[in-house]
Amino acid sequence: MIVDYYIKVAAKKLLYRIHKWSEVVFRLGGDRYDFQTIDLLKAKLKKDSNCIDIGANAGHILQEILKYAPRGKHYAFEPLPHLNKFLKNKFGKKVQVFDYALSDNSHSSVEFSYYENRPAVSGFKERASLPGYTVKKLTVQTMKLDDVIPADVEIDLIKIDVEGAEYLVFQGAKETLIRNKPIVLFECGPGGADEYNSTPEQIFDLLTGCGLQVSVIEYYLKGNTAFTRDEFVGQFYKGYNYFFVAYPA
């Protein structure tokens, strides 16, 4: 009995150290949502699944998509010129890379705020919550996803990371969402969506109107029940999660 007790104590100490180590990793730049995303890609993609990466940045998730769906048709969108060039050089033989900023309208030239020291937060809006960063104004062309993706291409998964402009992207992708009902990975939270005056209620209603339900990756992979509208809104405003998954109802 005494031996069992000390084994349990040692095990608890080890688990606690692992937990604290993981917190350090995430604070230093690791992102649990990236790891969860990879778990989802591994579990849900087939070799010939077709995927879309919106806000592809340097392509770290795109690379994982190609790993698990090497025979699929893939599309990437990244409006920042240097990142777009990098993606074309690295993935251009396997992925169609576009320099459009996806939105709710097509063929508009709009101002785009490029944060030189933190390009991942660049977007249509200059972020009031990020003082002290160098901002360069670019002109980009907007497109609706529905106007880019051929109607005869079945889309299995979409990843969206557009720093608050998610609702604009969804509005321009309704036909694609309704037609394919893909898995959709998307960021959504205060400090981003509110810059665009969009609400979690709007996002939830649009997605469910397209035949999708909403949860977080962990719950989805476990087969848990999807969020109700109130639960999703609570997740948003209370900051419990900022990365979500939509999937066929």
Side-chain angles (χ1 to χ4, degrees):
M1 294 295 292
I2 294 177
V3 173
D4 289 343
Y5 169 78
Y6 282 110
I7 290 174
K8 289 181 180 178
V9 170
K12 288 181 179 180
K13 287 182 178 179
L14 177 61
L15 289 172
Y16 178 74
R17 288 174 182 169
I18 292 172
H19 169 69
K20 298 303 291 183
W21 175 83
S22 66
E23 286 187 334
V24 170
V25 169
F26 294 141
R27 284 200 302 270
L28 291 176
D31 189 335
R32 65 187 172 97
Y33 296 119
D34 283 351
F35 295 116
Q36 291 177 351
T37 296
I38 293 170
D39 286 342
L40 184 147
L41 298 178
K42 183 178 180 180
K44 299 298 181 178
L45 290 186
K46 299 177 181 178
K47 297 293 185 181
D48 58 352
S49 294
N50 301 325
C51 306
I52 301 172
D53 189 346
I54 302 171
N57 199 263
H60 67 289
I61 296 300
L62 185 59
Q63 184 166 307
E64 297 297 327
I65 288 173
L66 286 167
K67 177 180 178 181
Y68 294 109
R71 298 198 300 271
K73 292 182 179 179
H74 305 306
Y75 306 84
F77 295 84
E78 177 51 60
L80 291 178
H82 70 290
L83 290 175
N84 184 274
K85 181 179 179 180
F86 173 81
L87 292 171
K88 285 181 177 177
N89 289 337
K90 186 172 182 179
F91 302 109
K93 293 182 179 180
K94 298 180 179 179
V95 179
Q96 291 190 52
V97 180
F98 299 94
D99 60 0
Y100 304 131
L102 291 183
S103 188
D104 61 346
N105 64 83
S106 291
H107 305 297
S108 294
S109 294
V110 300
E111 187 176 79
F112 197 84
S113 295
Y114 165 42
Y115 286 80
E116 295 180 319
N117 300 324
R118 196 176 171 187
V121 300
S122 302
F124 293 127
K125 302 287 187 178
E126 187 169 339
R127 303 285 288 272
S129 59
L130 293 174
Y133 284 91
T134 302
V135 183
K136 182 179 180 180
K137 298 298 183 178
L138 306 176
T139 299
V140 301
Q141 184 179 27
T142 65
M143 286 292 288
K144 293 169 58 175
L145 184 69
D146 289 337
D147 291 339
V148 180
I149 304 302
D152 61 349
V153 176
E154 182 178 346
I155 299 300
D156 301 289
L157 180 138
I158 303 174
K159 177 230 121 186
I160 303 174
D161 184 357
V162 290
E163 299 303 317
E166 298 82 20
Y167 186 58
L168 296 178
V169 174
F170 287 137
Q171 286 181 302
K174 287 181 183 178
E175 294 175 11
T176 301
L177 295 175
I178 292 171
R179 183 171 60 248
N180 297 283
K181 293 181 176 53
I183 296 171
V184 182
L185 299 162
F186 66 100
E187 286 193 0
C188 180
D194 45 329
E195 297 277 357
Y196 293 80
N197 297 316
S198 62
T199 68
E201 290 90 345
Q202 289 175 317
I203 292 172
F204 185 90
D205 291 346
L206 187 151
L207 290 172
T208 54
C210 292
L212 302 172
Q213 52 191 347
V214 182
S215 188
V216 290
I217 295 175
E218 181 182 3
Y219 293 173
Y220 172 50
L221 292 180
K222 289 181 178 179
N224 292 8
T225 303
F227 290 141
T228 64
R229 190 175 192 260
D230 287 343
E231 287 171 339
F232 176 67
V233 171
Q235 290 274 324
F236 178 97
Y237 286 115
K238 294 176 183 178
Y240 292 152
N241 286 283
Y242 68 85
F243 198 71
F244 298 93
V245 58
Y247 53 97

